[in-house]
Amino acid sequence: MSNNLPTSGLANSQINPAVLEEIICSDFIIKEIDGASLLHIASEQIVRPIVNKENEQQLKYLNNGKCYSGAGSSSESRDLELQFSCNVSETVWTADTIKGEGNSSILVTLFNVHTGEAVISGPEASAKLEIVILKGSFDRDDWTAEEFSQNIIKEMNGKNILKGNVVLELKDGIGTLTDLSILHDRNWKRVSKLRLGARFIDGFQNIRVKEAKTNTFTMKDRRMKVCDTRAFGVRFSNSS
C-alpha cells in the first residue's frame, strides 16, 4: 500500500519516520490523498493527542508543587483551610492587646487541605477574614461552617466583644493580627475560657474553606489585675 501513496509535500516535512510509518499502515489513509492532507491527518490523529497528554502531565506536576496556586477550574471542587501560626498567651486581660505565646505576633495562613502547602496566589490568597471570639468549650477537630457559627460569641449587651482590627486582608495567603483586644464588660465572668477564630467573610464557588481556631486561653477581667497590683503594694508597704 505504501508504494501507491503520493509523496508530494512530504519531502521537506519534519514528520518523524516512525509516525509516518504508523500513518501509512493505518486504515484511515486513502489512495488519492495528497501530501498536505496527509500532514493534516497526522497532526489531528497522532500529534495532537500526544501534545494534549503532555499538557495534562505538566498541569498535574504544577498542581503537586510546593506552593499551591489558587487558580483553577470553576467546576473543580477544592478544600482549603485557615490555620493560626501559634497559640494565644495562656492569660489574656480585657483591654490588653492579644498576643501569642512569648509575646509573639499571631498570623493566619491559608493552606490546601490535600497537599498541606500554603496557598500563595489566586483570589482566595487575598481574601478578607473575620476574627471572632469562640466558646472555650468548642474543642472539636472537625466541624461544619454552621457548627463554627453556633460557637461564636458575637455580642455582650449589644456591644461587640472584640475591639480593633477584626477584619484582615490576606496577602499571599497570610494575615497578621494587630491591635486586637477583648472589651471589658461588667457581665463577663471574672475568669472565662475562650478561643480566637478566623473565617472567610465571602465564599468562593466550589471551595470549602475550613475556619481556624486557637487553643483555649483564660480571659481575665483587668480589674483583677489592678486589685492584685494594689494588694501587692499594700503587702510591700506593711513589710517595710
Side-chain angles (χ1 to χ4, degrees), residues 115-206:
T115 66
E117 304 296 340
V119 178
I120 62 172
S121 63
E124 304 90 358
S126 57
K128 290 184 178 181
L129 309 181
E130 177 189 16
I131 305 301
V132 297
I133 288 289
L134 297 169
K135 299 174 184 176
S137 58
F138 184 45
D139 57 0
R140 298 183 58 179
D141 293 327
D142 197 16
W143 58 81
T144 65
E146 183 179 1
E147 290 169 335
F148 185 87
S149 296
Q150 290 171 350
N151 282 275
I152 294 175
I153 304 175
K154 296 181 179 180
E155 295 181 341
M156 185 70 70
N157 292 330
K159 298 179 181 179
N160 291 330
I161 294 173
L162 284 173
K163 179 183 179 182
N165 299 324
V166 295
V167 175
L168 301 182
E169 186 170 353
L170 295 179
K171 183 177 181 181
D172 298 330
I174 299 175
T176 304
L177 274 66
T178 57
D179 193 27
L180 193 67
S181 60
I182 300 175
L183 289 175
H184 166 74
D185 189 279
R186 64 173 180 237
N187 291 310
W188 275 119
K189 293 181 180 179
R190 285 185 173 268
V191 176
S192 299
K193 296 292 185 180
L194 303 172
R195 298 176 188 266
L196 285 183
R199 63 179 178 177
F200 269 29
I201 293 178
D202 298 316
F204 291 88
Q205 185 177 7
N206 297 322

Side-chain angles (χ1 to χ4, degrees), residues 71-83:
S73 170
S74 59
S75 61
E76 180 186 0
S77 178
R78 294 185 290 114
D79 293 323
L80 308 177
E81 67 177 351
L82 295 167
Q83 292 182 15

